[in-house]
Amino acid sequence: MKKHIVVIAGDGIGQEVTTVGKQVLDRIAEKFGHEFTYDEALIGHAAIEATGNPLPEETVTKSKQSDAILFGAVGHPKYDNDPSAKVRPEQGLLGIRKALGLYANLRPIKLFDELLHSSSIKPEFLQGADILFFRELTGDVYFGEKGRKDDGNTAYDLMIYSRYEVERIAVKAFDAAMTRRKKLCSVDKANVLESSRLWREVVQEVAKRYPEVEVEHQFIDAAAMLLIKDPRRFDVVVTGNLFGDILTDEASQIAGSMGMLASASVGDTTGLYEPIHGSAHDITGKGVANPLASVLSAALMLDISFGMKAEAEAVVDAVDQVLKAGFRTRDIADANTPKDLILGTEAMGKQLLSKL
Ligand code: NAD
């Protein structure tokens, strides 16, 4: 199969980890007889430096013409410390999600057995946890009207959802539940927020089309608590943009590290695949970033965008084998990990390639 992939590495460790993600895709192409061609494009701080624009038009055009996007991260400390900056790296990411109509962010949270002890949650509560989050991506407070009044002393961000936005992500989540344990939890704050009441209403309507799926509704506060108390009770979770942002970072602790979690942002056309972590400036350029989230994002690309199930499984299996062999990057190592098994980004990539 021939596929064209745009690599948008972005900022910070985005460059380092996508290099490994791409190497893995290349090895898969070789092993399974596919032809993957690549292009590169700028976004975020890197794009601002080069063009003054966090999302150059060329990046949007190249992305639209591709079959899938392997994305790194955006962000730079310069902007984190200057909330008033008008041009910001994250505008690049929000912009490309909007331009490609990527309304659903899928985040599988699955713990590799070997990392059971690197999570801050007790292993007996964790073993077997396997959750698939669907976070809505194009609505909510991120895109509602925002502003200041009273001479800048009062600020607001409107939480807005429309029926069709809730319906289309609910359908994706229910479809996924049908292929898994047939359980779906919808998370909102319907006791307080009108937008959440619409959310719940629409999910209940969609649920009628999926009588086999067991549905529950949780408030965001209760869901945040239950996720730590009993992660195994969840199968598919569907929620809005803001609640999903927070809940999935919390859930990352189930997997032991941000460096292990992949995500897929999909709509009805080109999908974008990225680690959930950011540009991690504290470790940029040190060669210690964990590339596994990028590699697992590449596996999601193979599965979701290209329908290459066996290829995706081969990648996940290689990650599993490398972990079973005892290799760790610094973020997932613990006091018992022998020093010679703690690898940098490049060396971890080499181990993966050798397993593939
Ligand atoms: P971060 O995810 O970049 O880092 C949080 C912590 O996790 C850091 O200590 C970092 O070293 C560690 N970490 C993250 N990824 C790792 C990896 N692959 N291997 C090893 N350790 C890893 O979040 P942050 O520090 O809050 O944000 C840094 C910048 O990233 C900010 O500018 C922020 O806006 C941006 N950001 C971007 C995205 C994105 O592009 N999707 C997501 C979150 C944050």
Side-chain angles (χ1 to χ4, degrees):
M1 220 184 264
K2 280 188 182 175
K3 294 288 174 193
H4 183 62
I5 300 163
V6 170
V7 179
I8 309 182
D11 304 323
I13 61 166
Q15 299 284 344
E16 302 163 45
V17 298
T18 46
T19 300
V20 179
K22 181 171 172 283
Q23 284 167 352
V24 165
L25 284 170
D26 273 339
R27 178 59 58 92
I28 286 290
E30 194 184 314
K31 193 175 149 97
F32 287 84
H34 301 302
E35 191 186 327
F36 294 162
T37 52
Y38 302 91
D39 204 345
E40 289 183 3
L42 290 171
I43 205 162
H45 174 67
I48 298 173
E49 291 286 287
T51 69
N53 180 355
L55 182 62
E57 199 43 51
E58 188 185 77
T59 300
V60 177
T61 309
K62 283 183 178 178
S63 300
K64 283 186 175 165
Q65 288 166 353
S66 72
D67 293 307
I69 300 161
L70 185 67
F71 192 92
V74 289
H76 192 275
K78 187 166 124 186
Y79 304 90
D80 296 343
N81 301 327
D82 179 12
S84 65
K86 289 271 179 291
V87 177
R88 313 184 57 82
E90 55 272 24
Q91 290 164 346
L93 183 54
L94 294 178
I96 197 149
R97 285 173 179 166
K98 200 84 183 166
L100 297 176
L102 305 174
Y103 59 82
N105 186 233
L106 279 70
R107 299 191 180 189
I109 307 278
K110 195 167 187 295
L111 184 68
F112 287 90
D113 279 349
E114 300 303 315
L115 298 182
L116 209 51
H117 293 275
S118 40
S119 170
S120 44
I121 303 174
K122 289 185 190 136
E124 59 267 36
F125 293 109
L126 265 189
Q127 198 154 28
D130 179 0
I131 311 173
L132 178 58
F133 278 92
F134 281 78
R135 168 188 168 195
E136 202 288 328
L137 268 192
T138 54
D140 211 334
V141 290
Y142 294 77
F143 295 99
E145 185 190 327
K146 45 187 84 235
R148 296 253 181 143
K149 52 186 186 177
D150 304 336
D151 291 335
N153 293 317
T154 306
Y156 57 91
D157 304 89
L158 288 187
M159 184 178 266
I160 300 186
Y161 266 117
S162 346
R163 184 170 290 277
Y164 88 95
E165 287 175 317
V166 185
E167 184 176 354
R168 63 186 181 177
I169 189 154
V171 166
K172 279 216 185 296
F174 274 101
D175 282 345
M178 287 298 289
T179 67
R180 295 171 48 101
R181 302 198 304 279
K182 297 193 173 59
K183 282 180 67 180
L184 180 139
C185 174
S186 170
V187 176
D188 60 35
K189 187 72 182 165
N191 49 344
V192 179
L193 303 173
E194 195 54 39
S195 51
S196 279
R197 285 193 269 273
L198 175 72
W199 179 281
R200 192 173 284 216
E201 201 178 294
V202 176
V203 173
Q204 282 168 344
E205 280 167 21
V206 175
K208 291 183 193 145
R209 295 180 228 159
Y210 298 86
E212 284 173 61
V213 178
E214 183 192 324
V215 182
E216 68 165 339
H217 299 270
Q218 291 287 350
F219 297 133
I220 176 63
D221 40 345
M225 178 272 292
L226 288 168
L227 194 57
I228 296 297
K229 188 175 171 219
D230 184 15
R232 283 177 297 200
R233 74 192 299 289
F234 294 105
D235 177 16
V236 171
V237 178
V238 62
T239 189
N241 208 343
L242 179 64
F243 300 151
D245 194 359
I246 300 165
L247 220 48
T248 50
D249 263 24
E250 182 191 347
S252 73
Q253 283 316 296
I254 293 174
S257 164
M258 303 271 279
M260 292 299 299
L261 286 183
S263 83
S265 299
V266 299
D268 298 320
T269 56
T270 308
L272 181 149
Y273 298 83
E274 59 170 325
I276 80 155
H277 62 71
S279 45
H281 290 281
D282 50 337
I283 56 168
T284 298
K286 295 187 176 154
V288 297
N290 183 348
L292 296 180
S294 179
V295 168
L296 292 169
S297 302
L300 283 180
M301 175 192 293
L302 294 166
D303 181 359
I304 300 173
S305 275
F306 303 164
M308 299 177 179
K309 302 267 176 225
E311 291 82 338
E313 269 167 35
V315 174
V316 176
D317 190 49
V319 171
D320 200 30
Q321 283 184 52
V322 166
L323 295 173
K324 282 209 166 76
F327 295 111
R328 301 284 184 272
T329 42
R330 211 173 62 175
D331 57 308
I332 49 172
D334 60 27
N336 302 320
T337 312
K339 289 263 175 305
D340 59 329
L341 295 184
I342 302 180
L343 306 180
T345 314
E346 220 181 294
M348 185 53 117
K350 285 205 174 109
Q351 284 300 327
L352 278 170
L353 295 180
S354 76
K355 300 289 182 228
L356 278 167

